Amino acid sequence: MNYELIATTTFGIEAITSAELKALGYENLKSDNGKITFEGDEMDIAICNTWLRTADRVLIKVAEFKAESFEELFQGTLAVNWSSIIPENGVMHVVGKSIKSKLYSVPDCQSIVKKAVVQSMKNTYNKEWFEENGPVYKIEVAILKDIVTLTIDTTGPGLHKRGYRELAGAAPLKETLAAALVLISKWDPSRVLADLFCGSGTIPIEAALIGKNIAPGLKRRFICEDWPTMNKELWQQVREGAEKSIKDIDFTIYASDIDGRVLKTARENAQKAGVMKYISFQKLPMKEFSSKKKYGVLISNPPYGERLGEAEEVVQIYNDLGELYRKLDAWSFYVLTSHPEFQKYFKQKADKNRKLYNGRIQCYYYQYIHQIPNRK
């Protein structure tokens, strides 16, 4: 069965997720704020959940219509053939959001949609009551400027839940955003990579998964695998294909931090992710890092100075980072921070910068790029 699918993503990395989808062979992509829409079947749902590194989740779009009243919302939802996806005993969990719309009460919208879905199911199955003791179907009603989009989530816990990070530092970077930082840098394993503020290890682990071509969703399950419409053999095929796609390649990523406790967590996370042998963890102040290799890549998410009393310390970190950049021969630096004056303290204007969101914090990804000669 063919579906209209939506890969949701963090604001600012839509182009990166689109590039991932193109690399997986998808065409006719429609990109919007925080989402990319495309077509696919059950196999594509399995492929995208298993392989997408920067998307938040994969949704099935079931309807889109205008609604300025609860009656219009009810009728628009009722018009959907919900039983083509949801079985008699499906658990129907409705979530919602509303932005700049006449129907602004999200709980009321959720209630109306649930009633309409149940009525549609009654019409199909000729039953008055449903047990709802089977697989889970999370339905989202999203209303933007009176346009309703109804979707069903195929992912379950977000795609950033790779399964390797039960433990994290004080301000963890999401795995999906960390993967985006690596993909934006265009790093490949022929170059040295370092993260000198590695925390719980998310950036180096995601880089190692990319370097080895390990599918990020390989070691986890997805909510739609329990649906009767999903062919279990398809999922097995996708996982077997992902196993065969892992590259037989060796490289070393340098990951350091000044906090020994958080480094212990990083090592445990790398072990769980199966990439421990590709990452060299070290307790080391950033300014003591050195390398004789040329054209290396530094990708880091240093402190932002958000906490009280950190301001001076953070200015010094950015100063030292700028000094290190000028010492390392032809290295490229990629730094994510929310600090408005990063470039002033780094003492150099970035070649590029990109607005990204780390959780709810607006950040910029400052990019200082050295191309390898004879390489585009």
Side-chain angles (χ1 to χ4, degrees):
M1 186 171 174
N2 251 37
Y3 301 103
E4 192 168 359
L5 301 176
I6 298 172
T8 63
T9 189
T10 305
F11 288 110
I13 61 170
E14 295 89 347
I16 308 304
T17 308
S18 287
E20 281 197 86
L21 285 162
K22 282 175 189 167
L24 289 169
Y26 297 100
E27 298 172 346
N28 303 320
L29 306 176
K30 185 186 168 192
S31 191
D32 208 341
N33 286 336
K35 64 181 184 181
I36 297 95
T37 306
F38 59 105
E39 286 187 6
D41 57 17
E42 282 86 358
M43 174 72 92
D44 299 306
I45 289 170
I47 289 168
C48 291
N49 274 304
T50 303
W51 277 102
L52 286 177
R53 298 181 190 279
T54 63
D56 291 330
R57 52 187 66 247
V58 179
L59 311 175
I60 294 171
K61 181 176 169 183
V62 291
E64 190 168 88
F65 54 89
K66 188 171 184 178
E68 296 182 339
S69 67
F70 287 134
E71 181 60 24
E72 286 175 337
L73 178 61
F74 183 88
Q75 292 301 332
T77 306
L78 183 64
V80 175
N81 179 15
W82 293 97
S83 61
S84 66
I85 300 175
I86 304 174
E88 272 186 73
N89 66 340
V91 178
M92 294 165 279
H93 173 50
V94 182
V95 297
K97 59 186 177 185
S98 177
I99 301 166
K100 297 178 182 173
S101 299
K102 291 184 178 68
L103 300 177
Y104 56 83
S105 170
V106 173
D108 285 338
C109 292
Q110 288 171 207
S111 177
I112 296 288
V113 167
K114 178 73 185 265
K115 281 179 188 169
V117 173
V118 170
Q119 187 58 55
S120 168
M121 300 282 281
K122 282 179 181 178
N123 295 346
T124 302
Y125 291 111
N126 202 21
K127 285 177 74 172
E128 279 302 306
W129 184 76
F130 297 92
E131 283 188 273
E132 293 198 46
N133 61 359
V136 176
Y137 293 79
K138 190 171 88 173
I139 299 162
E140 183 182 69
V141 48
I143 313 177
L144 175 62
K145 295 178 182 174
D146 300 323
I147 301 298
V148 178
T149 305
L150 296 173
T151 58
I152 301 177
D153 177 25
T154 71
T155 302
L159 288 174
H160 69 284
K161 298 275 190 185
R162 318 286 208 218
Y164 66 75
R165 195 176 77 173
E166 288 171 32
L167 304 165
L173 189 71
K174 261 192 180 178
E175 294 86 333
T176 42
L177 180 55
L181 300 184
V182 177
L183 292 174
I184 290 167
S185 79
K186 295 187 167 63
W187 170 78
D188 71 71
S190 70
R191 301 175 77 174
V192 178
L193 177 64
D195 177 5
L196 309 184
F197 304 88
C198 75
S200 54
T202 313
I203 291 172
I205 291 169
E206 288 298 319
L209 293 173
I210 289 166
K212 289 290 289 179
N213 199 38
I214 298 172
L218 186 56
K219 293 184 178 180
R220 60 160 285 186
R221 279 183 61 79
F222 300 94
I223 199 168
C224 67
E225 289 186 65
D226 295 326
W227 299 355
T229 51
M230 286 290 163
N231 185 332
K232 305 289 183 286
E233 286 179 13
L234 289 182
W235 284 89
Q236 194 178 334
Q237 283 173 36
V238 170
R239 289 194 171 106
E240 284 172 2
E243 289 279 3
K244 288 174 184 168
S245 298
I246 296 171
K247 290 179 180 174
D248 183 14
I249 184 173
D250 275 327
F251 51 86
T252 302
I253 293 167
Y254 296 97
S256 56
D257 204 285
I258 55 168
D259 185 341
R261 182 187 53 82
V262 86
L263 276 172
K264 182 175 180 288
T265 298
R267 287 190 182 96
E268 287 170 11
N269 290 342
Q271 195 72 47
K272 280 184 198 145
V275 295
M276 184 63 193
K277 69 174 280 195
Y278 307 101
I279 305 172
S280 173
F281 289 103
Q282 190 178 9
K283 186 178 177 184
L284 186 77
M286 171 266 296
K287 61 182 182 180
E288 289 181 23
F289 178 80
S290 64
S291 174
K292 290 179 181 175
K293 299 271 189 182
K294 289 182 74 166
Y295 307 113
V297 177
L298 177 141
I299 303 175
S300 277
N301 176 42
Y304 302 165
E306 299 280 328
R307 295 190 191 92
L308 210 59
E310 273 187 354
E312 283 183 25
E313 186 187 333
V314 161
V315 166
Q316 190 57 54
I317 286 171
Y318 296 165
N319 267 316
D320 292 344
L321 200 54
E323 285 298 312
L324 185 64
Y325 174 71
R326 286 176 279 281
K327 278 181 196 168
L328 288 172
D329 192 13
W331 274 55
S332 296
F333 272 41
Y334 296 84
V335 182
L336 182 73
T337 177
S338 68
H339 199 293
E341 295 190 285
F342 170 78
Q343 294 175 104
K344 173 185 167 184
Y345 300 123
F346 191 85
K347 295 189 173 65
Q348 188 154 332
K349 192 172 185 299
D351 298 308
K352 289 183 181 178
N353 71 47
R354 187 187 200 113
K355 184 162 57 168
L356 297 173
Y357 284 85
N358 183 5
R360 294 187 176 180
I361 303 170
Q362 182 182 301
C363 298
Y364 283 90
Y365 192 35
Y366 295 98
Q367 302 163 56
Y368 298 86
I369 304 162
H370 279 287
Q371 297 284 5
I372 296 179
N374 304 322
R375 235 199 224 191
K376 287 187 180 179

